[in-house]
Amino acid sequence: MGSAKGVLFLLTASALWGAIGVIVELLIASPSEVVPAVAIRSLSATLVLLPFVKRVLRRDAVLMGLISATFYTTYVVTITLEGISVPAVMLYTAPAFILALYALEGRKVKAYDVMLVIPVVAGVLLLYGGQILSFATLLGLATGLTYGLLIWYSSLMQSRKYSEWEVIQAQSLWSLPPLATASLAFPHLNLSVLEGGVLLGVLETVVAYYFFYKGMKYVGPFYSTVISATEPVFAMVYALLVFGQRLTGLQYLGAVLILLSSILAAARTRR
């Protein structure tokens, strides 16, 4: 029962995160507007979660913010350059990076978990036509790496008895100083960027991450990222409905392979 509830929480987060690309495409016109929008994202989430500020005034919470700032910026830049669907799928190279972090920690990596990563790698190759060293591919992999770091470290914080709200506040509050400083070099603030930043902060950070971290308590960080690979499905549907964006046949096959890992991981958590 607990694992089923966890999967439901994770699917809810995925449905919300699938809309990030739509928000970015509609409201954030160019890469030069990314840093101000992401800074507003962190500021709005911080303000919503003010009651949880006191506990996150600690050193381990600061690192969470720096990881978050890097991930937020990398992902939104990738969307502005690549569109909605492909960057959303590339996020889910994260399980491979999480397994690597497990190995560095000295944890035992199970053969089944490694097998789950193989369809992800194949899917990435299909999405980018085998151009594994292209700039687009490397940028996409950077989103997966930074997302993997975010999930791995948030799990570590939860093991230190931080609540879901406190983890979200840590990533919001401590990502704000570097993002606010960087935004001075990109003075492209307008009403559209402001609206986009607030939506990303409230809906895609406070609400979506609450469901994700709640689900992660039931199934753990590795399976959470694999199950949440349903996000690209939502992103593709939204992109098709709102913008008419389509993938090629091989790219759809790549997406299916990545989603296959998600289904197998969900089945694994129910055993």
Side-chain angles (χ1 to χ4, degrees), residues 223-242:
Y223 288 116
S224 292
T225 52
V226 179
I227 292 166
S228 296
T230 47
E231 176 186 343
V233 174
F234 291 107
M236 289 174 195
V237 171
Y238 301 156
L240 178 62
L241 293 176
V242 180

Side-chain angles (χ1 to χ4, degrees), residues 205-235:
T205 303
V206 176
V207 179
Y209 272 104
Y210 172 77
F211 282 113
F212 182 83
Y213 292 144
K214 198 77 173 173
M216 188 165 67
K217 277 189 172 180
Y218 290 97
V219 303
F222 174 73
Y223 288 116
S224 292
T225 52
V226 179
I227 292 166
S228 296
T230 47
E231 176 186 343
V233 174
F234 291 107

Side-chain angles (χ1 to χ4, degrees), residues 157-171:
M157 290 188 69
Q158 285 187 322
S159 72
R160 295 172 180 172
K161 306 304 180 184
Y162 284 90
S163 71
E164 291 86 2
W165 297 122
E166 288 168 341
V167 175
I168 301 168
Q169 179 62 298
Q171 68 189 66

Side-chain angles (χ1 to χ4, degrees), residues 116-155:
L116 287 177
V117 173
I118 293 174
V120 173
V121 175
V124 168
L125 288 171
L126 288 170
L127 280 168
Y128 283 103
Q131 298 176 17
I132 199 66
L133 294 179
S134 70
F135 176 73
T137 309
L138 294 175
L139 194 58
L141 288 171
T143 66
L145 171 60
T146 52
Y147 184 51
L149 281 170
L150 177 73
I151 302 311
W152 170 76
Y153 195 74
S154 65
S155 175

Side-chain angles (χ1 to χ4, degrees), residues 247-258:
L247 300 179
T248 67
L250 285 177
Q251 286 177 320
Y252 277 119
L253 177 59
V256 167
L257 287 173
I258 293 175

Side-chain angles (χ1 to χ4, degrees), residues 82-106:
E82 299 288 319
I84 296 175
S85 299
V86 172
V89 174
M90 289 297 287
L91 278 180
Y92 293 94
T93 58
F97 294 113
I98 290 176
L99 285 185
L101 289 167
Y102 281 179
L104 289 174
E105 284 183 298

Side-chain angles (χ1 to χ4, degrees), residues 41-123:
R41 173 183 186 168
S42 293
L43 175 61
S44 58
T46 298
L47 293 175
V48 170
L49 296 173
L50 274 178
F52 301 95
V53 164
K54 186 175 180 180
R55 180 123 194 271
V56 301
L57 300 178
R58 297 167 56 174
R59 190 183 309 168
D60 53 354
V62 175
L63 181 56
M64 182 63 172
L66 296 177
I67 294 170
S68 301
T70 306
F71 166 61
Y72 292 164
T73 305
T74 304
Y75 185 42
V76 177
V77 166
T78 307
I79 292 172
T80 61
L81 294 175
E82 299 288 319
I84 296 175
S85 299
V86 172
V89 174
M90 289 297 287
L91 278 180
Y92 293 94
T93 58
F97 294 113
I98 290 176
L99 285 185
L101 289 167
Y102 281 179
L104 289 174
E105 284 183 298
R107 293 197 204 184
K108 184 178 179 181
V109 176
K110 299 176 182 177
Y112 185 92
D113 295 344
V114 174
M115 291 296 292
L116 287 177
V117 173
I118 293 174
V120 173
V121 175

